Amino acid sequence: MADLMTRPGRTRTRSGAPRSKHARTLSTMDKLTVVLMVAVPALIVVSLVWFPAISTIVLSFTDWNGIGNIADMNFVGTQNYVDVTTNYPPFGPAMEHNLIWLVVFFLGPTLLGIFLAALLDREIRGSRIYQSIFFLPVVLSLALIGFIWQLIYSRDQGLLNTVLGTQTDWFGDPDINLWAVLVAAGWRHTGYIMLLYLAGLKAVDPALREAAAVDGAGEVRTFFQVIWPVMRPVNIVILVITVIESLRAFDIVWVINKGRNGLELISTLVTQNVIGEASRVGFGSALATIMIAISTVFIVIYLIQVMREQR
């Protein structure tokens, strides 16, 4: 008899464990809400990321021109990849320009952004104002930045030529336009890296700095021997972001001259072949697949690093 009795306000489950009278199972509406919260984001990711990516890889093995029926397209195997690497002259300069973009971004704007973040992390006077100034280009699209720098680089009425007293065609000369574009794009990338790294520095335990100061370490030594190792996950993220930003560079170049005359990039070649006058969807998909493959290498490196940190 005593076993069947429970405390007021409680019942017993089949296993004998007490259960509050306030406990209840999920209603139909709650279950529907949970399903929608999981299904809707998953559907968006699949439809906007995975499906286009897989379709691009499949189309890269076809000769589809984007006009006829998909059912009538012919599979050509790896012929598109062979043509890209052997019979497509813009591909070599595009790969070279993307590599230059990566090296310059890493050695220039990325390191400058890290330096600015370390400097602003010291809470110098007016640091909030400086953060806003450096972060301002980040909220602008690269297309808009291209228009802004066209006003600076204009041959006849540009600010730079007015100051220097020259008439250099910064965006038109194929010998220098890539470097001019890198300065414009790096202006935005610097603020982006500064923001990411500054957020990471704010999360560093202050006790580490205090311990280093007690040991007599200076600020430079503290940063490289204490802070830098702790920031390793953030460093990996920044490396991956820099690589991806270098590969997907498109907006600013397309605004200037549609990726021609010294500004060839893989992304512009993809656009020219998929929606350009040629309309070679299969060939353009092969170029896009090459971009996906290169990006995947660095993404996998990042995921491996994340999994190691979680262990």
Side-chain angles (χ1 to χ4, degrees), residues 208 212-213 215-229:
L208 296 176
D215 291 339
E219 293 184 2
V220 176
R221 183 181 177 186
T222 299
F223 178 81
F224 284 105
Q225 295 188 2
V226 179
I227 305 301
W228 183 263

Side-chain angles (χ1 to χ4, degrees), residues 38-55:
V38 175
V40 172
L43 181 62
I44 292 175
V45 172
V46 170
S47 60
L48 298 182
V49 178
W50 287 106
F51 178 73
I54 295 175
S55 300

Side-chain angles (χ1 to χ4, degrees), residues 6-274:
T6 59
R7 295 182 180 180
R10 290 181 177 271
T11 58
R12 286 188 178 274
T13 61
R14 183 174 297 178
S15 61
R19 181 178 63 187
S20 173
K21 66 178 182 179
H22 299 291
R24 64 184 180 87
T25 58
L26 293 177
S27 65
T28 303
M29 183 58 67
D30 293 335
K31 293 179 181 179
L32 180 60
T33 302
V34 172
V35 170
L36 289 176
M37 292 177 64
V38 175
V40 172
L43 181 62
I44 292 175
V45 172
V46 170
S47 60
L48 298 182
V49 178
W50 287 106
F51 178 73
I54 295 175
S55 300
T56 298
I57 296 174
V58 173
L59 290 174
S60 69
F61 296 100
T62 70
D63 62 353
W64 191 46
N65 59 8
I67 299 177
N69 192 344
I70 297 180
D72 297 333
M73 63 184 180
N74 300 315
F75 283 87
V76 295
T78 60
Q79 185 61 44
N80 286 327
Y81 295 95
V82 174
D83 292 340
V84 165
T85 54
T86 59
N87 300 323
Y88 191 50
F91 179 72
M95 287 290 292
E96 179 182 352
H97 295 163
N98 274 110
L99 180 60
I100 293 175
W101 200 294
L102 171 62
V103 173
V104 171
F105 258 39
F106 182 75
L107 297 179
T110 298
L111 295 183
L112 180 58
I114 293 175
F115 173 76
L116 292 175
L119 192 64
L120 295 175
D121 186 53
R122 299 172 57 188
E123 298 294 341
I124 60 177
R125 179 178 297 181
S127 60
R128 297 293 182 182
I129 299 177
Y130 295 134
Q131 290 179 32
S132 301
I133 293 174
F134 291 125
F135 181 69
L136 182 60
V138 181
V139 302
L140 305 177
S141 67
L142 277 173
L144 181 56
I145 289 176
F147 285 119
I148 293 173
W149 281 84
Q150 278 183 336
L151 300 176
I152 299 175
Y153 285 142
S154 176
R155 181 180 59 183
D156 300 322
Q157 299 178 348
L159 176 62
L160 186 58
N161 281 332
T162 301
V163 173
L164 298 178
T166 60
Q167 286 190 332
T168 304
D169 191 359
W170 297 97
F171 279 161
D173 189 343
D175 294 328
I176 61 175
N177 56 4
L178 178 63
W179 306 103
V181 171
L182 285 171
V183 172
W187 178 53
R188 179 180 183 272
H189 188 72
T190 299
Y192 187 31
I193 297 300
M194 180 207 71
L195 179 68
L196 292 176
Y197 211 79
L198 187 59
L201 289 174
K202 296 297 183 184
V204 175
D205 189 354
L208 296 176
R209 302 177 187 269
E210 296 174 358
V214 171
D215 291 339
E219 293 184 2
V220 176
R221 183 181 177 186
T222 299
F223 178 81
F224 284 105
Q225 295 188 2
V226 179
I227 305 301
W228 183 263
V230 175
M231 295 287 289
R232 182 179 179 182
V234 179
N235 296 335
I236 297 296
V237 171
I238 288 178
L239 175 62
V240 173
I241 288 176
T242 302
V243 172
I244 294 177
E245 285 288 322
S246 301
L247 286 174
R248 74 181 188 92
F250 170 79
D251 313 55
I252 188 170
V253 170
W254 193 259
V255 166
I256 295 170
N257 65 359
K258 299 187 182 301
R260 299 184 176 93
N261 193 31
L263 290 180
E264 296 85 358
L265 296 174
I266 299 179
S267 57
T268 61
L269 297 183
V270 173
T271 305
Q272 291 170 10
N273 283 277
V274 173

